[in-house]
Amino acid sequence: MNSSINFPKIFLITGNPGVGKTTLIQGLYQKLSQDKTKTIKGFYTEEIRENGQRSGFDVVNLENKERAPLARIFHQMSRYRVGKYGVEIENFEQMTLPIFKDISQRCICIIDEIGKMEATSKNFERLMLNLLDKVSTENFLIIATVPTSYLSLSDKFKQHPKSKIFEVTFLNRNNLADQIFDNITEAYNKL
């Protein structure tokens, strides 16, 4: 790849909680994975509900649909906490770190999300910063959801010169998937 060619390689999806970022990521994955020549790696987070109440989140591998707990409501003190949730770092790392260990050329990396819970893992943070360092010179793309609020790790992605940010709202969420898909396809064809 000619690194002097300037086109986005990081596609960030941001928006308020509950607006549909994960649903959009899942839709993009379904659409992108129809082309069997594309290598796509990544994960998404899924809300866990019990008795109509959110009780936590799981992380789900896109390729094999294996899942692991990311966070659960804990009544006792947990070492890693985000709000009322205890983050299960070991489960999260065992599921996600191997996904991004060896990124092949012409790969699309999907990360849902680079948020507070995920950033409690220093190993995950190091891996994400490593991907961020390589994205300009190697032939892969990153699609990630990030919070609208300040978070050091996600802000590094937002500030990267190869980043393009899409804000999801209740008004645009049904039409935004096609626009993002077109941008990703164009960038992938330039790899």
Side-chain angles (χ1 to χ4, degrees), residues 21-115:
K21 297 183 297 291
T22 296
T23 301
L24 193 131
I25 280 279
Q26 290 171 323
L28 283 169
Y29 171 71
Q30 292 301 321
K31 206 168 179 178
L32 289 165
S33 64
Q34 289 176 5
D35 180 348
K36 301 300 181 198
T37 65
K38 287 185 171 80
T39 300
I40 305 169
K41 295 181 174 208
F43 70 90
Y44 66 91
T45 56
E46 186 172 86
E47 186 178 272
I48 302 302
R49 298 185 81 75
E50 294 176 9
N51 301 322
Q53 300 288 323
R54 181 168 48 190
S55 61
F57 299 90
D58 276 357
V59 60
V60 182
N61 184 316
L62 286 168
E63 291 179 277
N64 59 24
K65 303 303 182 218
E66 288 182 12
R67 60 192 315 113
L70 168 61
R72 296 289 188 266
I73 294 176
F74 283 110
H75 298 290
Q76 71 274 11
M77 291 301 292
S78 176
R79 183 172 173 200
Y80 302 100
R81 295 185 64 79
V82 174
K84 63 183 177 181
Y85 298 98
V87 181
E88 300 190 21
I89 288 185
E90 287 181 11
N91 292 325
F92 173 69
E93 289 180 348
Q94 286 175 1
M95 176 64 73
T96 61
L97 298 183
I99 294 171
F100 302 109
K101 186 175 179 183
D102 296 312
I103 296 301
S104 62
Q105 296 297 307
R106 289 186 58 86
C107 177
I108 299 173
C109 302
I110 296 179
I111 308 159
D112 176 43
E113 93 177 73
I114 302 172

Side-chain angles (χ1 to χ4, degrees), residues 105-153:
Q105 296 297 307
R106 289 186 58 86
C107 177
I108 299 173
C109 302
I110 296 179
I111 308 159
D112 176 43
E113 93 177 73
I114 302 172
K116 288 181 183 178
M117 289 183 187
E118 296 81 4
T120 60
S121 165
K122 295 304 171 197
N123 291 325
F124 178 76
E125 182 175 8
R126 277 191 292 278
L127 184 61
M128 292 298 104
L129 291 173
N130 186 38
L131 284 178
L132 196 58
D133 286 343
K134 292 180 178 180
V135 74
S136 292
T137 58
E138 296 190 19
N139 290 340
F140 65 88
L141 303 177
I142 297 172
I143 306 167
T145 59
V146 293
T148 55
S149 58
Y150 172 80
L151 180 68
S152 177
L153 179 58

Side-chain angles (χ1 to χ4, degrees), residues 169-185:
T169 66
F170 288 109
L171 295 175
N172 73 0
R173 68 182 181 181
N174 294 328
N175 301 320
L176 197 55
D178 288 337
Q179 180 186 350
I180 297 171
F181 177 80
D182 291 344
N183 277 257
I184 293 165
T185 301

